[in-house]
Amino acid sequence: VQLQASGGGLVQAGGSLRLSCAASGRTSSSYGRGWFRQAPGKERELVASITRAGGSTYYTDSVKGRFTVSRDNAKNVVYLQMDSLKPEDTAVYYCAAGSPTLRGEFLSKYWGQGTQVTVSS
């Protein structure tokens, strides 16, 4: 499975961005998908995840009510809609394919390259 993330950029605080993660490979729709981010000097953290069929989602507390994860399995694409962005959302965002867990973790099997999101104050 190969993952290609896109949609990052520079936005002012309060603005919105939509990240996309396109997958290739015949088994790509068989995996849950996750969005991670890594800010300078910080560890990579799970931001949101969605199950294989899209029936269940997870969000870290800091993005609840602002970010929405969705997927279109017909197109093999997962989206992260980010609204009301804050400067602390600035990070490199990565998409992954793998398995969400009931404890709010994500076991990543495949990684895409990162896309930079910068939120100015």
Side-chain angles (χ1 to χ4, degrees):
V1 175
Q2 293 183 325
L3 304 172
Q4 180 75 35
S6 61
L10 173 64
V11 64
Q12 289 188 331
S16 298
L17 283 174
R18 188 176 82 157
L19 305 183
S20 299
C21 179
S24 61
R26 62 178 183 173
T27 62
S28 59
S29 62
S30 301
Y31 295 97
R33 304 283 279 278
W35 285 100
F36 291 76
R37 68 185 178 187
Q38 187 167 20
K42 295 187 176 181
E43 294 186 353
R44 188 174 298 189
E45 66 168 340
L46 176 64
V47 175
S49 67
I50 188 166
T51 52
R52 180 178 56 186
S56 182
T57 57
Y58 163 86
Y59 300 94
T60 193
D61 286 345
S62 62
V63 308
K64 284 180 181 176
R66 300 189 297 121
F67 290 12
T68 304
V69 60
S70 62
R71 68 187 297 164
D72 184 340
N73 281 344
K75 297 180 179 179
N76 278 341
V77 180
V78 172
Y79 304 99
L80 185 67
Q81 177 67 40
M82 307 186 294
D83 299 318
S84 302
L85 282 161
K86 304 176 180 180
E88 51 264 43
D89 295 318
T90 295
V92 178
Y93 284 71
Y94 300 87
C95 61
S99 302
T101 73
L102 294 177
R103 297 185 299 175
E105 300 167 326
F106 191 88
L107 304 178
S108 303
K109 187 169 184 178
Y110 301 99
W111 289 94
Q113 93 293 355
T115 185
Q116 176 71 47
V117 171
T118 303
V119 184
S120 62
S121 58

